[in-house]
């Protein structure tokens, strides 16, 4: 790499197999990787009442075919969105697979979202189908029908609801609809700095190329697992974001690997599953919570091969403590909704980086094969190696743009001198002498709490609407469990008497729980610089010790 130009084009292109695979329906590629023995167990899960559940590969194939046939029977227009807001279950994953299979566009929504949030997403995406929990049918269907959605089904985490009832009437065979690499497969909403969420449009080609690259890069194994098969993944993340939905599910399926499926993250259940597994993926909070368990020992992890962390910065203390307790080095990687995975620490030392690379803490490793990553200054000039700047990326994994927001899409891409397009990640970082990428901050005003994104502008907008509030500022402060949490500082209108707890209670009825600030302070005025801009850094400093 040039000493003057911190552009880290990955030294290896994406494997040819990734390019070839990328021009087909993602489901077809995943299905092709199912093992020959379709009666082998593909997913071990537990029903909400504690009953053990086993799904064979044949079950996954047939059940996703039934749901795909149900979707096909609805005669939806091409490109229709299928929105899902349900508790995590294997059947929810099957709905995702069925949507791919039927050629429609999957739109997963966080179960924590409240009615105002759902109203926005459904109004913006105009899904043809909405699937919600039986308990939420009343309010969700009202929103959906008002927005023009024609079909609302229900799906409970105990395999109840109209979706499966209706799907049961359809055949268990289905030929996947042909899709090209550029065809949309999913829309993932990411909150916006202006308060309006943007739907990142991901294609079959984006998802498939990234899955194939990660299969090779992380050395997914076909044999040598604890039960005589290959790798076994513990799936403990929610399935409405990139990490749990794409990186974890695709990772296992494209390797024909069994999953031990937990509907909710429970550190004791994860540790209990480890002797039967080889791979685990988590946001940093999951690692912090696992470390708090006395049962986490070298004996418990004896069969584990790989621990992957990402979605938020992994503290070096957590990285080191994990090494000491388990003898394993966590592999940290970096990605986002718009790009899926971008960089990764190496799985094993290899010739690509001089044969001496290793997994390092406090870095996110190297650009993945096929990914270009550069660090530029505010005027777009390349930054010298080691210097901090804005991270921009390109590659087959980079999304098509924001749903129905061509102007916003244009703003978020920079043109290279050669006419190439670079996506502005909003992350700030540097590339060191050895080519490792370090994320040092964000230019976007964003708080990442326990792996969930919280955009201050959105929360401030709600608070500023409350009676008696003049203005507010949300800042992120360090937190031992969630990494970072929001603290809101509010000023009253003249004569108004505000109560911090009442403000938080009012927010709870309107916003997803993870967006609720952990503390609220009422102050006479916010600190401002000479330009009149709120000095959030001063507020952050003032409150940084709150949860120490
Ligand atoms: C829950 N709470 C949170 C929170 N999760 N507050 C802040 N941040 C969070 N992440 C709230 C709860 O509502 C509750 O509030 C209180 O905090 C305590 O909750 P808990 O019982 O401890 O939470 P729990 O249900 O155990 O959930 C914690 C968690 C979950 C860490 C398991 O947040 C989680 O699954 N996070 C993973 C997110 C993820 O998958 N991110 C990937 C994004 S993809 P109250 O008031 O009700 O008591 C991406 C790209 C990439 O970023 O690179 O991967
Ligand atoms: P999302 O919009 O939810 O996909 O979140 C993506 C953001 O998460 C990125 O832009 C980064 O800011 C952050 N992120 C993901 N992985 C890491 C990581 N390993 N270290 C630091 N930040 C990360």
């Amino acid at each position: 790499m040039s000493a003057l130009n911190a552009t880290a084009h990955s030294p290896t292109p994406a494997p040819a197999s990734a390019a070839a695979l990328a021009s087909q329906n993602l489901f077809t590629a995943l299905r092709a990787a199912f093992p020959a023995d379709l009666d082998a167990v593909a997913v071990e899960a537990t029903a909400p009442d504690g009953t053990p559940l086993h799904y064979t590969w044949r079950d996954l194939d047939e059940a996703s075919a039934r749901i795909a046939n149900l979707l096909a029977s609805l005669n939806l227009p091409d490109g229709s969105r299928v929105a899902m807001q349900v508790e995590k279950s294997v059947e929810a994953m099957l709905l995702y697979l069925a949507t791919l299979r039927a050629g429609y566009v999957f739109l997963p929504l966080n179960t924590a979202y409240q009615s105002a949030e759902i109203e926005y997403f459904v109004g913006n995406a105009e899904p043809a189908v909405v699937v919600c929990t039986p308990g939420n049918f009343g309010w969700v269907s009202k929103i959906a029908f008002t927005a023009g959605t024609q079909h609302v089904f229900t799906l409970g985490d105990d395999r109840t609801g109209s979706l499966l009832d209706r799907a049961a009437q359809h055949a268990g065979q289905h030929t996947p609809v042909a899709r090209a690499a550029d065809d949309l497969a999913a829309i993932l909403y990411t909150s916006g700095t202006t308060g309006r969420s943007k739907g990142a449009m991901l294609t079959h080609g984006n998802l498939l190329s990234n899955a194939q690259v990660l299969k090779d890069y992380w050395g997914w194994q076909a044999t040598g697992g604890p039960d005589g098969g290959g790798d076994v993944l513990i799936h403990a993340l929610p399935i409405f974001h990139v990490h749990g939905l794409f990186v974890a599910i695709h990772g296992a399926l494209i390797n024909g690997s069994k999953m031990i499926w937990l509907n909710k993250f429970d550190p004791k259940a994860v540790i209990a599953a480890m002797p039967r597994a080889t791979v685990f993926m988590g946001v940093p909070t999951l690692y912090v919570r696992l470390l708090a368990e006395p049962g986490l020992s070298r004996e418990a992890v004896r069969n584990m091969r790989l621990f992957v962390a990402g979605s938020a910065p992994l503290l070096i203390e957590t990285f080191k403590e994990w090494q000491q307790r388990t003898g394993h080095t966590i592999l940290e990687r970096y990605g986002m909704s718009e790009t899926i995975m971008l960089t990764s620490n190496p799985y094993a030392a290899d010739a690509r980086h001089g044969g001496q690379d290793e997994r390092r803490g406090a870095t996110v490793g190297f650009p993945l094969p096929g990914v270009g990553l550069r660090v530029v200054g505010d005027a777009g000039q390349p930054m010298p190696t080691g210097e901090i700047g804005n991270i921009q990326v390109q590659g087959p994994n980079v999304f098509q743009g924001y749903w129905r927001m061509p102007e916003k899409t244009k703003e978020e891409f920079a043109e290279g001198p050669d006419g190439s397009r670079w996506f502005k990640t909003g992350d700030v970082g540097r590339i060191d002498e050895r080519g490792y990428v370090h994320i040092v901050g964000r230019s976007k005003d964003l708080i990442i709490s326990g792996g969930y994104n919280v955009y201050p502008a959105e929360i401030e907008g709600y608070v500023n609407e409350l009676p008696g509030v003049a203005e507010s500022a949300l800042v992120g402060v360090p937190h031992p469990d969630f990494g970072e949490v929001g603290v809101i500082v509010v000023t009253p209108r003249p004569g108004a008497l505000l109560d911090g707890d009442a403000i938080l209670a009012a927010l709870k009825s309107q916003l997803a729980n993870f967006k609720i600030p952990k503390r609220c302070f009422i102050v006479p005025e916010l600190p401002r610089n000479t330009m009149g801009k709120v000095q959030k850094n001063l507020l952050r400093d003032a409150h940084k010790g709150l949860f120490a």
Side-chain angles (χ1 to χ4, degrees):
M1 192 177 53
S2 149
L4 281 172
N5 184 348
T7 300
H9 268 289
S10 164
T12 37
S17 55
L21 274 173
S23 60
Q24 57 177 302
N25 187 317
L26 167 63
F27 178 81
T28 306
L30 299 175
R31 174 66 186 82
F34 282 18
D37 179 7
L38 287 180
D39 294 316
V41 173
V43 184
E44 273 180 32
T46 310
D49 66 3
T51 312
L53 301 170
H54 290 93
Y55 298 76
T56 64
W57 294 95
R58 192 184 305 284
D59 292 335
L60 300 192
D61 191 32
E62 291 184 359
S64 64
R66 288 183 209 287
I67 304 174
N69 280 321
L70 166 62
L71 294 175
S73 75
L74 304 174
N75 294 316
L76 309 174
D78 205 28
S80 289
R81 278 76 59 206
V82 176
M84 173 185 97
Q85 193 203 24
V86 301
E87 297 299 333
K88 183 180 173 186
S89 68
V90 176
E91 286 68 26
M93 172 181 72
L94 291 169
L95 173 60
Y96 166 55
L97 296 178
T99 305
L100 293 175
R101 197 168 179 160
Y104 296 120
V105 181
F106 191 63
L107 170 54
L109 295 167
N110 193 324
T111 39
Y113 290 144
Q114 307 276 333
S115 58
E117 292 158 313
I118 295 296
E119 204 168 336
Y120 172 74
F121 295 124
V122 169
N124 189 254
E126 296 183 325
V129 177
V130 169
V131 181
C132 64
T133 63
N136 288 349
F137 179 79
W139 66 268
V140 174
S141 62
K142 201 167 153 207
I143 290 172
F145 291 136
T146 306
T149 299
Q150 279 158 16
H151 308 276
V152 180
F153 296 105
T154 57
L155 176 63
D157 58 0
D158 53 358
R159 295 185 289 171
T160 55
S162 58
L163 182 81
L164 298 181
D165 290 348
R166 290 280 303 276
Q169 297 159 18
H170 289 268
Q173 296 83 38
H174 173 273
T175 305
V177 171
R179 290 287 107 171
D182 280 351
D183 285 333
L184 278 197
I187 297 179
L188 263 66
Y189 274 88
T190 73
S191 298
T193 37
T194 55
R196 281 190 66 201
S197 282
K198 304 161 290 180
M201 299 189 288
L202 293 161
T203 63
H204 284 260
N206 293 146
L207 298 172
L208 186 45
S209 61
N210 208 240
Q212 187 63 34
V213 162
L214 292 176
K215 172 172 151 60
D216 294 344
Y217 205 79
W218 291 346
W220 280 86
Q221 292 175 8
T223 57
D227 60 358
D231 273 317
V232 176
L233 172 78
I234 301 175
H235 194 302
L237 285 163
I239 57 166
F240 35 72
H241 286 306
V242 160
H243 202 160
L245 181 63
F246 300 145
V247 188
I249 291 178
H250 296 169
L253 293 185
I254 209 159
N255 193 51
S257 275
K258 182 166 99 180
M259 285 187 258
I260 299 178
W261 183 271
L262 306 177
N263 282 356
K264 287 207 158 42
F265 171 71
D266 166 4
K268 288 190 173 57
V270 170
I271 293 168
M274 281 178 180
R276 293 179 291 121
T278 59
V279 182
F280 176 76
M281 296 182 189
V283 301
T285 300
L286 271 50
Y287 286 94
V288 170
R289 292 187 180 187
L290 284 165
L291 280 166
E293 291 292 326
L296 181 76
S297 62
R298 286 183 187 234
E299 174 58 16
V301 302
R302 66 188 176 279
N303 286 327
M304 294 295 291
R305 178 177 72 80
L306 180 60
F307 290 97
V308 177
S311 309
L314 179 74
L315 291 181
I316 190 72
E317 292 79 12
T318 311
F319 175 86
K320 287 185 176 158
E321 200 185 335
W322 192 268
Q323 242 171 0
Q324 280 161 8
R325 276 279 284 286
T326 68
H328 278 270
T329 305
I330 295 174
L331 180 153
E332 186 173 2
R333 92 304 178 277
Y334 156 59
M336 53 195 305
S337 303
E338 289 91 336
T339 64
I340 337 167
M341 294 300 98
L342 288 164
T343 74
S344 171
N345 268 274
Y347 172 61
D350 76 31
R352 282 180 290 205
H353 299 282
Q356 44 182 320
D357 48 3
E358 58 192 12
R359 283 180 222 168
R360 297 185 153 201
T363 92
V364 293
F366 306 108
L368 286 165
V371 172
L373 185 148
R374 67 181 191 181
V375 176
V376 300
D378 287 339
Q381 77 281 18
M383 298 302 286
T385 295
E387 290 202 13
I388 291 170
N390 303 305
I391 297 179
Q392 300 184 347
V393 294
Q394 58 177 209
N397 50 313
V398 175
F399 75 136
Q400 258 188 0
Y402 294 112
W403 172 255
R404 291 181 180 166
M405 289 188 184
E407 288 308 312
K408 190 75 201 157
T409 303
K410 217 164 145 197
E411 276 170 31
E412 300 298 324
F413 281 87
E415 294 258 322
D418 53 355
S420 56
R421 281 173 93 225
W422 293 82
F423 174 60
K424 303 174 187 169
T425 63
D427 292 308
V428 172
R430 64 185 171 86
I431 302 173
D432 70 19
E433 289 293 338
R434 290 179 60 186
Y436 286 84
V437 177
H438 301 248
I439 312 282
V440 300
R442 300 169 204 130
S443 59
K444 50 194 174 192
D445 192 9
L446 162 70
I447 297 166
I448 304 185
S449 186
Y452 286 138
N453 289 4
V454 181
Y455 277 87
E458 183 189 6
I459 318 304
E460 291 159 5
Y462 275 91
V463 173
N464 295 348
E465 292 289 306
L466 294 173
V469 171
E471 57 175 353
S472 62
L474 185 79
V475 291
V477 300
H479 189 274
D481 182 29
F482 292 122
E484 198 178 13
V485 294
V487 168
I488 192 134
V489 185
V490 184
T491 65
R493 285 180 185 279
L497 205 61
L498 293 178
D499 171 21
D501 289 341
I503 289 177
L504 296 181
L507 288 180
K508 270 194 180 177
S509 63
Q510 294 177 290
L511 289 169
N513 55 18
F514 64 89
K515 294 183 190 169
I516 310 300
K518 297 290 180 217
R519 294 287 264 282
C520 177
F521 294 98
I522 313 294
V523 298
E525 57 187 33
L526 297 176
R528 291 182 184 278
N529 64 16
T530 47
M531 309 291 288
K533 202 168 176 283
V534 175
Q535 290 172 299
K536 286 199 167 179
N537 55 328
L538 296 185
L539 294 174
R540 235 173 262 126
D541 280 350
H543 298 296
K544 68 180 178 208
L546 264 181
F547 304 97

